[in-house]
Amino acid sequence: MTRNSIPAGMYWSPDDHRGSGWRAGMRAEVDGHGRIARLQPVQAGTHFSRHASDRILVPGVANLHSHAFQRAMAGMAERQTRDRREAVADSFWTWRETMYRFAARFTPDTLYAVAAQLYAEMLEAGYTTVCEFHYLHHAPDGRPYSDPAAMSQALVAAARDTGIRMTLLPVLYMTAGFDGAPLGERQRRFGHDVDAYLHLVDSLCEDVASYGAVDGVHRGGTHHGMLHVGCAMHSLRAVPPDAMRAVLAALPPAMPVHIHIAEQVAEVEDCVAMRGARPVQWLLDNAAVDARWTLVHATHLDAAETAGVARSGATVAICPTTEANLGDGLFPLRDFLDAGGRWGIGSDSHISVSPVEELRWLEYGQRLVTRRRNITVGAETPSVGDALMRGVAASAASASGHAIGLLAAGQAADAVVLDGAAAQLTGATVDDLLDRWIFSGNRNLVDEVYVAGRRVVDGGRHRDRDAIATRYRDALAVLMRD
């Protein structure tokens, strides 16, 4: 029995192989579990048109990598670092010092307020699922809160209250480097031993049932219609080999696993020095990497690693705006695509909260390094916008653990409605509509957003934007207090 529907319009979904993927005059009927029961023609005899109507619907985009607390420090690390005598060469490592100082100020209440602001912004931009890579576990002095899951629960509450679909990825963080050095003072609130970490994961899985009534609990208690619990290992430098093996052996076999890897040249060099192999190659050799894995960044790959990740079926979460902001480097996208690799995008540090900007700069970065145009296209996808949207759709379900990425029966009823009346889309056809959306400028063209069949954005505004922004401003005043 259907509960409601997503209004009629022109639907795009990469599972529709009839040329462009567009179907005109359709309406999605939504069942009581927040999934699409069927796509129905609005009326018999509706004909497919090559021109855009005023209601243009695409699947919601999955944000595969998020550190919610970092949204509050966006723009605060853009000044040159100096010591007493001379400028220090700024890099990821100097940025990290700023991040540690900021992270030390968060409590569950301020984390909730910042995350809610971020998630509302994500929804307004067209992200409908967030994979939250969460490592602010304890109090700033490293001692657990009376409820060890308090910080995680603040994120879950922010997702529930804003209406975004979440994959919560509690992070295992044990050492300060490949040499096994203990965590520094500013890292102590991130840390767990293996037993404490597994207890945290178990407790979060037990909490899934109380998340809210969208559908039943399944997959051993790790999954609910709007919330999925996965596993994250911060990085190879932060998780010793024995600990990684112990955690992987204890996890449910279908649980998503995410890890930062090969983001920085120094990280690659340290891994070679301490473990005798490059990071991605070491991981492929020492773990059963498959489609449930998401390798975050994986920026610095050699040819063998590129081919190996593609063969494994793992997803690479590319975060173009953050990787540019930190000076990380450029992922070898064309070689990875040629090898059949799967990829998605993340907004990571949230210096931008826009899937359009991530996708645009993913393509632009490749153009700059190759001095060519239209890099992402394939033999059957000559449109860059179409190729980019197919890429994020193809990885969404395996990376998040949710049935997302398509507008099709059985899939989550998560849809983004573009403003077909926008000047940027004037005269758009099915051949260039996605290109127009991604490459026509910075005005947000998202009009409405539906998650699990519920409208959470209307007229480009989140339903609770003003109240969320007020709490955010109050939280930021506390976080920035001397």
Side-chain angles (χ1 to χ4, degrees):
M1 185 170 188
T2 59
R3 181 184 62 180
N4 53 29
S5 64
I6 297 175
M10 193 172 191
Y11 281 66
W12 179 85
S13 186
D15 64 311
D16 189 335
H17 299 293
R18 292 174 296 177
S20 65
W22 291 100
R23 299 176 68 186
M26 306 301 292
R27 179 178 61 237
E29 295 183 356
V30 182
D31 67 20
H33 303 303
R35 298 197 179 199
I36 296 173
R38 64 187 64 84
L39 287 180
Q40 285 281 94
V42 175
Q43 60 187 40
T46 297
H47 295 291
F48 181 75
S49 169
R50 289 182 59 80
H51 290 275
S53 68
D54 61 355
R55 291 189 67 83
I56 303 160
L57 294 95
V58 298
V61 178
N63 189 332
L64 299 189
H65 192 61
S66 167
H67 303 298
F69 77 94
Q70 292 179 19
R71 179 57 177 159
M73 59 174 282
M76 296 185 188
E78 308 304 318
R79 297 179 66 85
Q80 189 176 58
T81 304
R82 294 181 179 275
D83 64 15
R84 291 191 180 94
R85 292 163 296 181
E86 61 184 9
V88 175
D90 280 306
S91 67
F92 165 83
W93 307 101
T94 53
W95 170 89
R96 192 174 71 160
E97 294 302 307
T98 302
M99 182 271 289
Y100 283 165
R101 289 194 295 272
F102 206 77
R105 302 184 175 200
F106 275 88
T107 65
D109 287 343
T110 52
L111 182 60
Y112 168 83
V114 170
Q117 174 68 25
L118 171 67
Y119 298 158
E121 290 178 13
M122 284 187 187
L123 289 163
E124 290 180 347
Y127 290 120
T128 54
T129 297
V130 59
C131 295
E132 185 61 49
F133 198 101
H134 168 57
Y135 54 83
L136 291 188
H137 297 301
H138 309 308
D141 62 4
R143 289 183 292 182
Y145 289 100
S146 56
D147 179 353
M151 295 292 274
S152 297
Q153 289 166 351
L155 294 165
V156 170
R160 181 190 60 230
D161 293 349
T162 55
I164 200 166
R165 193 178 300 277
M166 171 178 273
T167 300
L168 180 63
L169 300 163
V171 173
L172 178 62
Y173 202 133
M174 298 180 69
T175 58
F178 285 101
D179 60 359
L183 298 179
E185 181 179 352
R186 285 173 295 182
Q187 297 171 315
R188 284 201 299 241
R189 74 178 309 182
F190 311 157
H192 284 102
D193 61 25
V194 168
D195 288 343
Y197 175 75
L198 291 174
H199 179 75
L200 173 64
V201 173
D202 287 344
S203 70
L204 292 172
C205 291
E206 291 171 2
D207 288 344
V208 164
S210 64
Y211 182 75
V214 176
D215 67 5
V217 179
H218 50 285
R219 292 189 188 172
T222 66
H223 188 282
H224 178 278
M226 290 288 287
L227 174 65
H228 194 22
V229 176
C231 162
M233 285 171 256
H234 181 271
S235 56
L236 294 184
R237 70 177 183 271
V239 180
D242 289 348
M244 178 176 289
R245 283 190 284 269
V247 168
L248 292 174
L251 296 179
M255 180 177 275
V257 179
H258 289 225
I259 185 171
H260 289 138
I261 199 160
E263 179 181 3
Q264 293 290 323
V265 171
E267 175 190 354
V268 176
E269 292 171 345
D270 288 350
C271 189
V272 170
M274 298 300 297
R275 298 197 186 180
R278 296 170 60 86
V280 169
Q281 192 60 59
W282 187 93
L283 185 67
L284 293 171
D285 289 343
N286 288 273
V289 178
D290 58 18
R292 72 172 176 151
W293 283 74
T294 297
L295 310 188
V296 181
H297 304 303
T299 305
H300 301 287
L301 303 180
D302 65 17
E305 290 173 310
T306 301
V309 175
R311 280 195 305 272
S312 75
T315 294
V316 174
I318 309 169
C319 307
T321 61
T322 291
E323 289 155 5
N325 183 269
L326 298 179
D328 288 347
L330 288 169
F331 178 76
L333 181 63
R334 187 65 258 172
D335 290 344
F336 191 60
L337 294 176
D338 290 341
R342 178 180 293 175
W343 61 274
I345 56 167
S347 59
D348 193 355
S349 66
H350 312 303
I351 48 101
S352 173
V353 186
S354 166
V356 164
E357 189 167 13
E358 300 298 340
L359 292 171
R360 183 190 302 153
W361 278 103
L362 177 62
E363 169 71 19
Y364 282 174
Q366 302 301 312
R367 294 184 187 188
L368 288 169
V369 76
T370 62
R371 298 188 296 279
R372 293 173 43 231
R373 300 188 70 251
N374 301 335
I375 306 301
T376 319
V377 297
E380 298 185 5
T381 50
S383 156
V384 176
D386 185 85
L388 291 169
M389 286 297 289
R390 287 179 186 273
V392 296
S395 65
S398 59
S400 70
H402 292 285
I404 58 173
L406 305 175
L407 292 176
Q411 295 283 301
D414 298 355
V416 174
V417 183
L418 303 182
D419 178 9
Q424 291 91 330
L425 300 182
T426 301
T429 72
V430 295
D431 294 325
D432 64 10
L433 213 163
L434 294 175
D435 295 321
R436 298 275 201 109
W437 178 34
I438 295 171
F439 293 101
S440 67
N442 292 325
R443 180 197 158 191
N444 185 7
L445 300 184
V446 173
D447 184 25
E448 299 174 53
V449 175
Y450 292 81
V451 182
R454 295 186 176 95
R455 187 167 61 187
V456 293
V457 171
D458 187 15
R461 291 178 59 90
H462 187 272
R463 62 193 180 192
D464 297 322
R465 179 198 276 189
D466 293 339
I468 288 170
T470 296
R471 287 196 299 269
Y472 175 74
R473 286 190 288 268
D474 291 345
L476 213 58
V478 172
L479 291 166
M480 297 181 68
R481 188 177 297 154
D482 291 334

